[in-house]
Amino acid sequence: MQMLTDASENCCLFTTGSANQLKTGPIYCFINQTQYYIELIIPLHMAFLLVSAYLLLTHTQGAPVENGALLETLKSQVGLFSNKSEHYSAQVRPPGTSRRIPQTIIIGVRKGGTRALLEMLDIHPNIVVAATEVHFFDWDENYVKGIDWYRSLMPFSYGNQITIEKTPGYFTSPQAPERIHDMNSSIKLLLILRDPTERVISDYTQVYYNRVESHKPVQLFEDIVIKNGALNTKYKAIQRSLYDVHMEKWLKHFSLDQIHIVDGNTLIKDPLPELQKVERFLNLPSRIMSSNFYFNQTKGFYCIRSDGRERCLHESKGRPHPLVNNTVLEQLYSYFKEHNAKFYRMVNHSFDWH
Ligand code: A3P
């Protein structure tokens, strides 16, 4: 209902629903203004009171879990934000939030499924994630910028939320373990690993597409991996798959119970159980549900359903791999066998790798 006043006639003109009605005289004015107050002003007052109560709650209680959930509900109802972390990374600070140094870091491994893990954890109302790979602990030019620079790249979060950043390069970086330990010696780390041979092929595939996109020459997988008839163990992608070598460096600074290993192969086939293990590791209530995932036949991977929308990972994740010569595959399997066995002993856990 809309109210207009017509001064010359000293009457009230109301337009309601389907028909326009013109009524004149003080009685009609009184009746219609009362109606106007009931229909418009009272709901406005109520909305104002509700918003004030919500703001008061977020300021006074340091935003407990329910407030985060309430905010999520409000957001999805008003359709302001399509994704939790997009909102928390915004420049304007939501009341009761601040930027915090991560309490958890996904340290790698490159091509292990780090993006899938991060995006899937972002479903949890008590988790906020950094939108981009920060490369603070592995790139000297960033590390010298200091901890305040690092913090400034984190999303806004409530006191009850865990901030997570992921930089897959940390796992293979010689400096990252000590630098992270210096920042927070009791930090919880997440490491997602997959079959080392599959990881090498995935690594190759990513570089292959990057080179094609920038019009650079490309080589066959076999031509890079085999040099002079033997396995080219200097190939960086192979080096990155030596999980025991890298893990040894982390275990010099952190105890095993600070590092939770996510099985990247299982995360692809059946994400929920892996994510529930992470929830337990982070002491978070179980909030990620099977309804948060659906299998997308076209992509051939699980996609995410949350905040009232469905999304798959970027097209660069889950690309088809080249068909690799069987002899080369066998050479890779046998090269990694000893390293894998050593890694299983180190972490007291075995995986289903070749
Ligand atoms: P491929 O693209 O070689 O298949 P990262 O994010 O660390 O770069 O890892 C990328 C890998 O994540 C992909 O490698 C893919 O196999 C894996 N992955 C796991 N779950 C996925 C999902 N739901 N959608 C797309 N890729 C997923």
Side-chain angles (χ1 to χ4, degrees):
M1 183 174 67
Q2 208 185 359
M3 186 183 83
L4 304 163
T5 48
D6 185 332
S8 62
E9 291 283 326
N10 192 24
C11 72
C12 306
L13 171 71
F14 289 87
T15 60
T16 57
S18 54
N20 287 355
Q21 297 166 311
L22 178 65
K23 302 197 177 185
T24 57
I27 295 290
Y28 284 119
C29 261
F30 174 74
I31 293 169
N32 287 327
Q33 276 173 347
T34 306
Q35 193 182 350
Y36 166 72
Y37 183 78
I38 292 169
E39 290 185 13
L40 189 67
I41 303 296
I42 289 181
L44 272 176
H45 280 185
M46 285 176 70
F48 175 75
L49 284 174
L50 274 173
V51 170
S52 307
Y54 169 68
L55 289 177
L56 197 66
L57 204 65
T58 54
H59 276 296
T60 54
Q61 296 189 1
V65 179
E66 296 72 27
N67 292 354
L70 174 61
L71 181 64
E72 287 309 301
T73 316
L74 289 172
K75 277 185 330 193
S76 59
Q77 279 172 359
V78 295
L80 276 178
F81 307 103
S82 53
N83 177 305
K84 176 158 59 92
S85 289
E86 276 166 30
H87 167 60
Y88 291 129
S89 332
Q91 291 305 308
V92 181
R93 183 173 73 87
T97 66
S98 60
R99 297 189 195 275
R100 293 178 171 82
I101 284 168
Q103 297 94 324
T104 298
I105 301 178
I106 299 176
I107 56 173
V109 64
R110 175 181 152 113
K111 305 318 290 172
T114 53
R115 175 56 59 184
L117 178 62
L118 189 80
E119 301 256 331
M120 289 172 178
L121 288 176
D122 192 27
I123 295 167
H124 200 292
N126 296 110
I127 290 177
V128 288
V129 308
T132 55
E133 290 177 10
V134 182
H135 287 281
F136 180 60
F137 300 102
D138 59 339
W139 290 0
D140 291 346
E141 65 268 36
N142 286 341
Y143 194 64
V144 294
K145 292 178 187 163
I147 202 80
D148 289 336
W149 176 84
Y150 184 50
R151 187 187 291 106
S152 75
L153 297 175
M154 293 304 132
F156 290 112
S157 63
Y158 291 108
N160 68 315
Q161 289 178 314
I162 292 179
T163 301
I164 304 186
E165 78 116 331
K166 78 115 177 162
T167 301
Y170 292 161
F171 182 56
T172 53
S173 150
Q175 302 88 2
E178 189 176 357
R179 286 175 175 178
I180 294 179
H181 186 267
D182 285 351
M183 177 189 76
N184 177 2
S185 59
S186 58
I187 196 164
K188 291 190 171 190
L189 303 171
L190 294 171
L191 170 63
I192 178 165
L193 299 174
R194 71 200 279 201
D195 184 296
T197 303
E198 268 176 41
R199 204 215 63 80
V200 174
I201 300 169
S202 174
D203 203 324
Y204 162 85
T205 308
Q206 168 161 305
V207 175
Y208 173 91
Y209 278 103
N210 288 347
R211 292 184 72 86
V212 168
E213 278 158 25
S214 48
H215 309 287
K216 289 184 180 154
V218 289
Q219 277 183 289
L220 279 179
F221 180 75
E222 289 79 356
D223 292 346
I224 301 177
V225 167
I226 306 293
K227 287 273 184 248
N228 305 319
L231 202 64
N232 173 16
T233 54
K234 290 207 165 65
Y235 177 36
K236 272 193 179 158
I238 292 184
Q239 293 276 321
R240 289 189 196 108
S241 276
L242 301 176
Y243 302 152
D244 58 325
V245 172
H246 306 297
M247 193 66 178
E248 204 163 17
K249 294 186 197 130
W250 288 89
L251 290 178
K252 282 195 181 120
H253 299 275
F254 297 97
S255 65
L256 197 53
D257 58 11
Q258 278 177 271
I259 309 174
H260 175 77
I261 301 170
V262 177
D263 186 330
N265 293 81
T266 311
L267 192 85
I268 293 174
K269 287 181 266 168
D270 188 13
L272 186 61
E274 282 306 308
L275 295 162
Q276 288 173 329
K277 284 181 209 162
V278 177
E279 288 180 325
R280 285 194 290 275
F281 173 68
L282 299 177
N283 293 325
L284 289 176
S286 173
R287 292 283 182 274
I288 305 176
M289 311 282 163
S290 57
S291 56
N292 289 125
F293 306 101
Y294 63 97
F295 191 78
N296 183 309
Q297 294 290 348
T298 320
K299 186 159 176 77
F301 283 87
Y302 277 96
C303 298
I304 298 166
R305 186 187 290 120
S306 80
D307 291 340
R309 68 174 188 143
E310 295 184 340
R311 59 186 193 279
C312 295
L313 261 60
H314 185 261
E315 60 178 19
S316 63
K317 306 290 177 184
R319 279 189 287 220
H321 291 175
L323 207 62
V324 176
N325 175 296
N326 267 335
T327 319
V328 174
L329 277 181
E330 289 304 330
Q331 278 176 278
L332 283 165
Y333 296 154
S334 89
Y335 178 67
F336 287 125
K337 219 165 195 62
E338 256 313 294
H339 287 283
N340 292 347
K342 192 170 171 202
F343 179 76
Y344 299 160
R345 285 194 297 276
M346 243 178 212
V347 300
N348 299 326
H349 187 88
S350 28
F351 291 85
D352 206 8
W353 302 330
H354 286 98

mmCIF file of all heavy atoms in Angstrom, residues 281-308:
data_model
loop_
_atom_site.group_PDB
_atom_site.id
_atom_site.type_symbol
_atom_site.label_atom_id
_atom_site.label_comp_id
_atom_site.label_asym_id
_atom_site.label_seq_id
_atom_site.Cartn_x
_atom_site.Cartn_y
_atom_site.Cartn_z
ATOM 1 N N PHE A 281 39.502 -34.080 13.953
ATOM 2 C CA PHE A 281 40.870 -33.626 14.201
ATOM 3 C C PHE A 281 40.883 -32.168 14.677
ATOM 4 O O PHE A 281 41.667 -31.786 15.542
ATOM 5 C CB PHE A 281 41.696 -33.789 12.914
ATOM 6 C CG PHE A 281 43.079 -33.212 12.965
ATOM 7 C CD1 PHE A 281 44.066 -33.765 13.773
ATOM 8 C CD2 PHE A 281 43.420 -32.106 12.175
ATOM 9 C CE1 PHE A 281 45.352 -33.228 13.811
ATOM 10 C CE2 PHE A 281 44.700 -31.567 12.196
ATOM 11 C CZ PHE A 281 45.669 -32.136 13.022
ATOM 12 N N LEU A 282 39.993 -31.366 14.127
ATOM 13 C CA LEU A 282 39.955 -29.940 14.486
ATOM 14 C C LEU A 282 39.032 -29.665 15.673
ATOM 15 O O LEU A 282 38.776 -28.497 16.011
ATOM 16 C CB LEU A 282 39.525 -29.101 13.273
ATOM 17 C CG LEU A 282 40.440 -29.164 12.043
ATOM 18 C CD1 LEU A 282 39.864 -28.337 10.894
ATOM 19 C CD2 LEU A 282 41.852 -28.682 12.378
ATOM 20 N N ASN A 283 38.506 -30.747 16.265
ATOM 21 C CA ASN A 283 37.568 -30.620 17.399
ATOM 22 C C ASN A 283 36.359 -29.763 17.061
ATOM 23 O O ASN A 283 35.921 -28.945 17.871
ATOM 24 C CB ASN A 283 38.263 -30.026 18.630
ATOM 25 C CG ASN A 283 39.293 -30.962 19.190
ATOM 26 O OD1 ASN A 283 39.118 -32.184 19.173
ATOM 27 N ND2 ASN A 283 40.400 -30.402 19.647
ATOM 28 N N LEU A 284 35.845 -29.949 15.886
ATOM 29 C CA LEU A 284 34.677 -29.181 15.473
ATOM 30 C C LEU A 284 33.442 -30.077 15.522
ATOM 31 O O LEU A 284 33.550 -31.292 15.301
ATOM 32 C CB LEU A 284 34.863 -28.670 14.036
ATOM 33 C CG LEU A 284 35.892 -27.570 13.843
ATOM 34 C CD1 LEU A 284 36.032 -27.243 12.364
ATOM 35 C CD2 LEU A 284 35.487 -26.312 14.612
ATOM 36 N N PRO A 285 32.269 -29.487 15.782
ATOM 37 C CA PRO A 285 31.062 -30.307 15.718
ATOM 38 C C PRO A 285 30.847 -30.804 14.291
ATOM 39 O O PRO A 285 31.255 -30.146 13.328
ATOM 40 C CB PRO A 285 29.946 -29.340 16.131
ATOM 41 C CG PRO A 285 30.507 -27.978 15.922
ATOM 42 C CD PRO A 285 31.994 -28.086 16.098
ATOM 43 N N SER A 286 30.218 -31.953 14.167
ATOM 44 C CA SER A 286 29.999 -32.528 12.844
ATOM 45 C C SER A 286 28.889 -31.750 12.118
ATOM 46 O O SER A 286 27.736 -31.782 12.535
ATOM 47 C CB SER A 286 29.613 -33.998 13.029
ATOM 48 O OG SER A 286 29.243 -34.540 11.805
ATOM 49 N N ARG A 287 29.259 -31.016 11.093
ATOM 50 C CA ARG A 287 28.274 -30.188 10.382
ATOM 51 C C ARG A 287 28.227 -30.478 8.878
ATOM 52 O O ARG A 287 27.300 -30.072 8.194
ATOM 53 C CB ARG A 287 28.600 -28.694 10.556
ATOM 54 C CG ARG A 287 28.407 -28.170 11.953
ATOM 55 C CD ARG A 287 26.928 -27.935 12.270
ATOM 56 N NE ARG A 287 26.778 -27.390 13.603
ATOM 57 C CZ ARG A 287 26.696 -28.118 14.712
ATOM 58 N NH1 ARG A 287 26.711 -29.433 14.632
ATOM 59 N NH2 ARG A 287 26.567 -27.551 15.904
ATOM 60 N N ILE A 288 29.241 -31.128 8.364
ATOM 61 C CA ILE A 288 29.252 -31.405 6.923
ATOM 62 C C ILE A 288 28.461 -32.694 6.704
ATOM 63 O O ILE A 288 28.671 -33.687 7.398
ATOM 64 C CB ILE A 288 30.696 -31.509 6.389
ATOM 65 C CG1 ILE A 288 31.470 -30.227 6.747
ATOM 66 C CG2 ILE A 288 30.704 -31.731 4.878
ATOM 67 C CD1 ILE A 288 32.939 -30.219 6.376
ATOM 68 N N MET A 289 27.514 -32.639 5.783
ATOM 69 C CA MET A 289 26.549 -33.747 5.589
ATOM 70 C C MET A 289 26.681 -34.330 4.184
ATOM 71 O O MET A 289 27.183 -33.661 3.282
ATOM 72 C CB MET A 289 25.106 -33.221 5.700
ATOM 73 C CG MET A 289 24.826 -32.380 6.904
ATOM 74 S SD MET A 289 24.638 -33.455 8.302
ATOM 75 C CE MET A 289 24.824 -32.311 9.642
ATOM 76 N N SER A 290 26.115 -35.519 4.022
ATOM 77 C CA SER A 290 26.142 -36.130 2.679
ATOM 78 C C SER A 290 25.350 -35.266 1.686
ATOM 79 O O SER A 290 25.666 -35.223 0.497
ATOM 80 C CB SER A 290 25.585 -37.555 2.718
ATOM 81 O OG SER A 290 24.291 -37.522 3.235
ATOM 82 N N SER A 291 24.328 -34.535 2.217
ATOM 83 C CA SER A 291 23.525 -33.685 1.320
ATOM 84 C C SER A 291 24.345 -32.510 0.770
ATOM 85 O O SER A 291 23.897 -31.812 -0.134
ATOM 86 C CB SER A 291 22.291 -33.161 2.055
ATOM 87 O OG SER A 291 22.703 -32.488 3.217
ATOM 88 N N ASN A 292 25.541 -32.289 1.307
ATOM 89 C CA ASN A 292 26.401 -31.220 0.792
ATOM 90 C C ASN A 292 27.146 -31.620 -0.485
ATOM 91 O O ASN A 292 27.894 -30.821 -1.042
ATOM 92 C CB ASN A 292 27.438 -30.790 1.841
ATOM 93 C CG ASN A 292 26.842 -30.034 2.986
ATOM 94 O OD1 ASN A 292 27.009 -30.385 4.150
ATOM 95 N ND2 ASN A 292 26.113 -28.971 2.682
ATOM 96 N N PHE A 293 26.948 -32.874 -0.923
ATOM 97 C CA PHE A 293 27.677 -33.337 -2.114
ATOM 98 C C PHE A 293 26.741 -34.022 -3.097
ATOM 99 O O PHE A 293 25.771 -34.648 -2.694
ATOM 100 C CB PHE A 293 28.783 -34.324 -1.712
ATOM 101 C CG PHE A 293 29.697 -33.753 -0.679
ATOM 102 C CD1 PHE A 293 29.566 -34.110 0.653
ATOM 103 C CD2 PHE A 293 30.657 -32.816 -1.023
ATOM 104 C CE1 PHE A 293 30.378 -33.556 1.625
ATOM 105 C CE2 PHE A 293 31.471 -32.255 -0.067
ATOM 106 C CZ PHE A 293 31.335 -32.624 1.255
ATOM 107 N N TYR A 294 27.043 -33.880 -4.344
ATOM 108 C CA TYR A 294 26.328 -34.645 -5.375
ATOM 109 C C TYR A 294 27.343 -34.980 -6.456
ATOM 110 O O TYR A 294 28.292 -34.216 -6.690
ATOM 111 C CB TYR A 294 25.146 -33.853 -5.944
ATOM 112 C CG TYR A 294 25.531 -32.591 -6.659
ATOM 113 C CD1 TYR A 294 25.655 -32.579 -8.059
ATOM 114 C CD2 TYR A 294 25.809 -31.410 -5.958
ATOM 115 C CE1 TYR A 294 26.030 -31.428 -8.725
ATOM 116 C CE2 TYR A 294 26.184 -30.262 -6.620
ATOM 117 C CZ TYR A 294 26.296 -30.267 -7.992
ATOM 118 O OH TYR A 294 26.683 -29.129 -8.655
ATOM 119 N N PHE A 295 27.146 -36.130 -7.074
ATOM 120 C CA PHE A 295 28.100 -36.539 -8.092
ATOM 121 C C PHE A 295 27.686 -35.949 -9.438
ATOM 122 O O PHE A 295 26.555 -36.111 -9.875
ATOM 123 C CB PHE A 295 28.171 -38.068 -8.178
ATOM 124 C CG PHE A 295 29.319 -38.527 -9.023
ATOM 125 C CD1 PHE A 295 30.616 -38.532 -8.520
ATOM 126 C CD2 PHE A 295 29.114 -38.927 -10.338
ATOM 127 C CE1 PHE A 295 31.694 -38.920 -9.303
ATOM 128 C CE2 PHE A 295 30.186 -39.321 -11.135
ATOM 129 C CZ PHE A 295 31.466 -39.319 -10.609
ATOM 130 N N ASN A 296 28.605 -35.257 -10.086
ATOM 131 C CA ASN A 296 28.315 -34.648 -11.380
ATOM 132 C C ASN A 296 28.889 -35.561 -12.469
ATOM 133 O O ASN A 296 30.118 -35.681 -12.601
ATOM 134 C CB ASN A 296 28.942 -33.244 -11.435
ATOM 135 C CG ASN A 296 28.627 -32.524 -12.723
ATOM 136 O OD1 ASN A 296 28.822 -33.054 -13.819
ATOM 137 N ND2 ASN A 296 28.135 -31.305 -12.597
ATOM 138 N N GLN A 297 27.980 -36.197 -13.224
ATOM 139 C CA GLN A 297 28.400 -37.180 -14.234
ATOM 140 C C GLN A 297 29.301 -36.543 -15.280
ATOM 141 O O GLN A 297 30.284 -37.144 -15.714
ATOM 142 C CB GLN A 297 27.169 -37.786 -14.943
ATOM 143 C CG GLN A 297 26.284 -38.635 -14.047
ATOM 144 C CD GLN A 297 26.940 -39.960 -13.651
ATOM 145 O OE1 GLN A 297 27.959 -40.347 -14.208
ATOM 146 N NE2 GLN A 297 26.367 -40.633 -12.656
ATOM 147 N N THR A 298 28.980 -35.336 -15.690
ATOM 148 C CA THR A 298 29.764 -34.678 -16.744
ATOM 149 C C THR A 298 31.188 -34.423 -16.277
ATOM 150 O O THR A 298 32.147 -34.694 -16.996
ATOM 151 C CB THR A 298 29.114 -33.318 -17.126
ATOM 152 O OG1 THR A 298 27.705 -33.493 -17.139
ATOM 153 C CG2 THR A 298 29.618 -32.802 -18.440
ATOM 154 N N LYS A 299 31.318 -33.933 -15.042
ATOM 155 C CA LYS A 299 32.663 -33.639 -14.535
ATOM 156 C C LYS A 299 33.379 -34.914 -14.085
ATOM 157 O O LYS A 299 34.598 -35.019 -14.134
ATOM 158 C CB LYS A 299 32.579 -32.635 -13.369
ATOM 159 C CG LYS A 299 33.936 -32.171 -12.904
ATOM 160 C CD LYS A 299 33.884 -30.860 -12.160
ATOM 161 C CE LYS A 299 35.252 -30.458 -11.623
ATOM 162 N NZ LYS A 299 36.158 -29.926 -12.616
ATOM 163 N N GLY A 300 32.570 -35.875 -13.652
ATOM 164 C CA GLY A 300 33.166 -37.131 -13.170
ATOM 165 C C GLY A 300 33.687 -37.011 -11.747
ATOM 166 O O GLY A 300 34.487 -37.842 -11.303
ATOM 167 N N PHE A 301 33.251 -35.973 -11.027
ATOM 168 C CA PHE A 301 33.700 -35.735 -9.651
ATOM 169 C C PHE A 301 32.514 -35.278 -8.800
ATOM 170 O O PHE A 301 31.493 -34.830 -9.332
ATOM 171 C CB PHE A 301 34.770 -34.630 -9.616
ATOM 172 C CG PHE A 301 36.123 -35.105 -10.066
ATOM 173 C CD1 PHE A 301 36.470 -35.093 -11.409
ATOM 174 C CD2 PHE A 301 37.061 -35.565 -9.148
ATOM 175 C CE1 PHE A 301 37.716 -35.534 -11.836
ATOM 176 C CE2 PHE A 301 38.305 -36.005 -9.558
ATOM 177 C CZ PHE A 301 38.636 -35.992 -10.905
ATOM 178 N N TYR A 302 32.719 -35.355 -7.496
ATOM 179 C CA TYR A 302 31.711 -34.793 -6.595
ATOM 180 C C TYR A 302 31.783 -33.269 -6.652
ATOM 181 O O TYR A 302 32.862 -32.691 -6.767
ATOM 182 C CB TYR A 302 31.947 -35.271 -5.157
ATOM 183 C CG TYR A 302 31.343 -36.630 -4.920
ATOM 184 C CD1 TYR A 302 32.113 -37.784 -5.027
ATOM 185 C CD2 TYR A 302 29.986 -36.759 -4.629
ATOM 186 C CE1 TYR A 302 31.556 -39.033 -4.838
ATOM 187 C CE2 TYR A 302 29.417 -38.011 -4.444
ATOM 188 C CZ TYR A 302 30.207 -39.138 -4.546
ATOM 189 O OH TYR A 302 29.643 -40.369 -4.370
ATOM 190 N N CYS A 303 30.615 -32.657 -6.579
ATOM 191 C CA CYS A 303 30.524 -31.198 -6.512
ATOM 192 C C CYS A 303 29.843 -30.834 -5.194
ATOM 193 O O CYS A 303 29.368 -31.720 -4.479
ATOM 194 C CB CYS A 303 29.749 -30.659 -7.712
ATOM 195 S SG CYS A 303 30.602 -31.051 -9.261
ATOM 196 N N ILE A 304 29.815 -29.536 -4.902
ATOM 197 C CA ILE A 304 29.391 -29.074 -3.570
ATOM 198 C C ILE A 304 28.030 -28.396 -3.625
ATOM 199 O O ILE A 304 27.755 -27.600 -4.528
ATOM 200 C CB ILE A 304 30.451 -28.087 -3.018
ATOM 201 C CG1 ILE A 304 31.795 -28.819 -2.872
ATOM 202 C CG2 ILE A 304 30.012 -27.472 -1.697
ATOM 203 C CD1 ILE A 304 32.982 -27.903 -2.660
ATOM 204 N N ARG A 305 27.224 -28.729 -2.621
ATOM 205 C CA ARG A 305 25.927 -28.051 -2.479
ATOM 206 C C ARG A 305 25.917 -27.407 -1.092
ATOM 207 O O ARG A 305 25.946 -28.103 -0.079
ATOM 208 C CB ARG A 305 24.806 -29.087 -2.583
ATOM 209 C CG ARG A 305 23.413 -28.499 -2.604
ATOM 210 C CD ARG A 305 22.352 -29.575 -2.535
ATOM 211 N NE ARG A 305 22.250 -30.374 -3.752
ATOM 212 C CZ ARG A 305 22.438 -31.706 -3.787
ATOM 213 N NH1 ARG A 305 22.746 -32.368 -2.697
ATOM 214 N NH2 ARG A 305 22.315 -32.368 -4.920
ATOM 215 N N SER A 306 25.937 -26.060 -1.052
ATOM 216 C CA SER A 306 25.838 -25.367 0.251
ATOM 217 C C SER A 306 25.431 -23.927 0.012
ATOM 218 O O SER A 306 25.562 -23.419 -1.107
ATOM 219 C CB SER A 306 27.160 -25.441 1.023
ATOM 220 O OG SER A 306 28.068 -24.508 0.558
ATOM 221 N N ASP A 307 24.969 -23.278 1.073
ATOM 222 C CA ASP A 307 24.487 -21.888 0.972
ATOM 223 C C ASP A 307 23.436 -21.752 -0.138
ATOM 224 O O ASP A 307 23.379 -20.722 -0.817
ATOM 225 C CB ASP A 307 25.644 -20.908 0.679
ATOM 226 C CG ASP A 307 26.579 -20.769 1.858
ATOM 227 O OD1 ASP A 307 26.154 -21.103 2.974
ATOM 228 O OD2 ASP A 307 27.722 -20.338 1.657
ATOM 229 N N GLY A 308 22.684 -22.789 -0.364
ATOM 230 C CA GLY A 308 21.604 -22.723 -1.353
ATOM 231 C C GLY A 308 22.078 -22.713 -2.795
ATOM 232 O O GLY A 308 21.348 -22.311 -3.695
#
